Amino acid sequence: MNFACRTDSEDMDPPTLLYTLTPQTLLLATDSSALHLYDLRTSDTAFATPRPVQTHHPHGDYVSSITPLPPSETSTSGLSKQWVTTGGSTVAVIDVRKGVAYQSDDLGEEILSGTITGDKSIAGGEKGALRIWDGGVKGLMHGGDERRIVVEKGESLDVLCPLPEASGLDETVAIGLGDGNIKFVQVGKKGGVIGTQRHHELEGVVAIGFEPCGRMISGGGDVVQVWERSDEDVNGAAGEVNGTLHADSADDDEVNDSDDDSSEEEMRPKRKKRKRNKGKDRGGSKHIIGFKGMD
């Protein structure tokens, strides 16, 4: 099924972000700043021209992140009724029953990412600092104090992902930066950067997630990496992640090219960096799974 998003003027409105709430409902953000809620529980005859059941415009620019709040304990549908979004220079809260329930003041920079961990609402911007509101969504909406943690001055914080409880690192988020690094930051009142890993030498990190066994998966450029803690590590439980992760290498028969092609690969000129990527090239990256045709 294709979703042909159009504005009121019937011009094409390219999708920019997709989030699946349930197997039957999804959120679709578009370039015009629209956020559509689709319900797939319709008859087959309606698939030819699907229309969203709700449309909101929480920001003045495209939506850069969507964080659904967990359903209430009394929920029978399992559907999140509220979502925190970022976009332009604002943070917003959308209620499926009320529409845009809250929009922050102009924060003075482009807000590129957002998440919630524990009782903290978190947003990352283009200038390299995390904005943290204690008290979760209520703290955000009711003017709670905003704290900041400088992650990497002047570098964009493109994606945020809380570490799972099984990691033993409470109130910690993994942050994908525009320079290709992944930084781990504890967001408590005495928090800060506690570790750094390198995903890509040239391209920024665009996605971070954790699979059920706790391994971190990162994506950016033309590679996807799967990370796990080293068996020798004993400092992780104490809150240290620097050097405790390593990327799994693909099996020999899964790598795109054989070892004989490695010298040819090294001789190829490297692609130019995108303008926003300020990190320096630090040599060849190993233990990555490469995919042809990905830019």
Side-chain angles (χ1 to χ4, degrees):
M1 180 172 59
N2 294 324
F3 293 94
C5 301
R6 299 179 182 274
T7 62
D8 293 339
S9 63
E10 291 302 312
D11 293 329
M12 294 300 296
D13 190 13
T16 58
L17 194 61
L18 178 68
Y19 195 101
T20 303
L21 291 172
T22 72
Q24 295 82 29
T25 54
L26 56 86
L27 291 169
L28 181 68
T30 68
D31 194 53
S32 71
S33 80
L35 181 62
H36 303 294
L37 174 64
Y38 282 93
D39 188 344
L40 305 185
R41 295 170 296 179
T42 58
S43 64
D44 290 342
T45 58
F47 281 178
T49 56
R51 296 288 180 180
V53 295
Q54 288 187 10
T55 296
H56 308 284
H57 290 271
H59 308 284
D61 204 342
Y62 73 96
V63 178
S64 56
S65 74
I66 302 172
T67 306
L69 300 183
S72 65
E73 295 181 357
T74 58
S75 173
T76 58
S77 66
L79 177 67
S80 173
K81 299 295 194 301
Q82 287 186 322
W83 325 300
V84 178
T85 63
T86 61
S89 59
T90 59
V91 179
V93 178
I94 301 174
D95 191 299
V96 70
R97 298 150 294 192
K98 302 176 183 178
V100 180
Y102 169 80
Q103 185 185 68
S104 71
D105 295 333
D106 189 323
L107 298 177
E109 65 172 324
E110 186 177 2
I111 305 301
L112 302 171
S113 54
T115 192
I116 293 176
T117 179
D119 64 344
K120 294 173 175 58
S121 297
I122 308 170
E126 63 178 338
K127 297 180 180 179
L130 281 183
R131 297 169 181 264
I132 304 166
W133 292 270
D134 294 317
V137 173
K138 291 183 179 179
L140 173 65
M141 296 178 63
H142 298 151
D145 292 337
E146 175 190 325
R147 295 185 290 112
R148 298 190 189 187
I149 295 177
V150 176
V151 178
E152 184 74 28
K153 189 175 181 180
E155 192 57 66
S156 61
L157 310 183
D158 294 343
V159 58
L160 306 179
C161 184
L163 268 64
E165 293 183 5
S167 69
L169 298 171
D170 296 333
E171 296 186 329
T172 301
V173 294
I175 305 174
L177 278 70
D179 64 359
N181 281 325
I182 301 172
K183 289 186 179 287
F184 301 88
V185 177
Q186 287 185 331
V187 296
K189 292 188 175 180
K190 295 183 179 180
V193 178
I194 60 173
T196 303
Q197 297 293 334
R198 187 70 165 170
H199 170 81
H200 201 283
E201 300 297 334
L202 298 175
E203 303 291 344
V205 181
V206 298
I208 297 176
F210 289 87
E211 50 95 49
C213 293
R215 295 188 298 180
M216 185 177 74
I217 302 173
S218 60
D222 57 356
V223 298
V224 173
Q225 296 206 62
V226 182
W227 306 78
E228 63 182 6
R229 287 196 177 182
S230 172
D231 293 336
E232 293 81 13
D233 173 58
V234 295
N235 296 322
E240 296 294 336
V241 296
N242 227 6
T244 68
L245 297 176
H246 68 272
D248 284 350
S249 59
D251 293 336
D252 291 342
D253 57 350
E254 293 177 348
V255 179
N256 290 329
D257 298 310
S258 65
D259 292 339
D260 293 337
D261 296 329
S262 60
S263 59
E264 178 184 350
E265 192 71 25
E266 292 174 358
M267 294 176 63
R268 294 176 184 172
K270 295 183 177 180
R271 290 178 297 175
K272 292 183 179 180
K273 299 179 184 179
R274 294 177 181 174
K275 289 184 178 179
R276 73 174 184 178
N277 291 346
K278 303 178 181 65
K280 295 182 179 179
D281 183 10
R282 301 176 186 173
S285 177
K286 297 182 180 180
H287 307 302
I288 60 177
I289 304 174
F291 295 89
K292 290 184 178 179
M294 292 181 64
D295 294 324

